[in-house]
Amino acid sequence: MSRRSARLSAYQLIFGYLFSKEVDSKTYDAMLNAEDISESDAEYIGEVVNGVKNHYEELMAMIADNSKNFRIDRIYKPDLAGLLLACYEMKYIKDIPLKVSISEAIELVKTFSTENSNKFVNGVLKGVYNELSREV
C-alpha cells in the first residue's frame, strides 16, 4: 500500500465518522488488516483517524476560521473529510510538508465531491497554511 492509498483509507474512515461521531470498528479493522498494508501505513491511518477524532473540535474551529462567509455546517461532508484530514496532517504530522497535505486533500475532493469543491478546499487550506506558517 502506498501513502496515497493509506490516506484514502483514512479519508474514508473520517468521512464515516462525520455521520455518527464513531469510527466504524469493522471497517477500521479490515483496513488495518488488509494484505497489502505496511506497518507504517497502518500507523499512519491509526494516527490520522484517532487524531481527527481526538482533536475534532480544534480542527473544526480551524476550518471555520478559514472558511470565510461559509457556515461550517453547510460544508459538504466529502469536503469536510478532506479538510479534517489535511488540517490534522498540517498541524500534527511534522514529516509531511504542508503543501503535500493540501495537494492530497484537493485530489481526494476532486475524486469524491463536486466540481467546484477543490477550489473551496484549496482556499480554506491556504488560510490554514498561512496561519500555521505564522506559528513556526
Side-chain angles (χ1 to χ4, degrees):
M1 179 177 270
S2 68
R3 175 54 62 96
R4 182 168 275 184
S5 296
R7 191 174 275 111
L8 172 61
S9 294
Y11 173 84
Q12 291 169 329
L13 289 164
I14 293 166
F15 179 77
Y17 176 79
L18 291 174
F19 291 94
S20 64
K21 298 302 180 268
E22 295 289 330
V23 175
D24 183 324
S25 59
K26 288 182 183 179
T27 304
Y28 182 79
D29 291 343
M31 287 180 177
L32 293 185
N33 294 316
E35 246 177 60
D36 62 342
I37 192 167
S38 69
E39 187 176 324
S40 67
D41 288 337
E43 287 173 9
Y44 166 81
I45 293 168
E47 178 182 356
V48 170
V49 171
N50 290 314
V52 166
K53 186 173 130 183
N54 294 333
H55 296 279
Y56 182 77
E57 294 302 324
E58 174 192 6
L59 298 171
M60 290 293 280
M62 287 172 64
I63 294 165
D65 290 346
N66 290 285
S67 56
K68 309 280 189 263
N69 302 319
F70 205 87
R71 288 192 352 241
I72 199 159
D73 62 329
R74 295 197 57 224
I75 298 174
Y76 297 132
K77 297 290 192 241
D79 298 357
L80 190 54
L83 287 165
L84 286 165
L85 178 113
C87 287
Y88 180 80
E89 281 187 358
M90 293 167 74
K91 176 110 176 144
Y92 292 103
I93 303 180
K94 300 303 178 195
D95 66 334
I96 300 175
L98 299 177
K99 290 182 179 182
V100 170
S101 295
I102 293 170
S103 175
E104 291 294 326
I106 289 169
E107 289 305 312
L108 285 166
V109 169
K110 279 182 181 177
T111 302
F112 294 105
S113 198
T114 68
E115 186 176 315
N116 293 319
S117 288
N118 62 309
K119 295 172 188 163
F120 172 75
V121 168
N122 185 50
V124 172
L125 293 177
K126 181 180 178 187
V128 172
Y129 174 88
N130 291 337
E131 185 179 304
L132 293 174
S133 295
R134 285 191 299 268
E135 290 177 8
V136 176

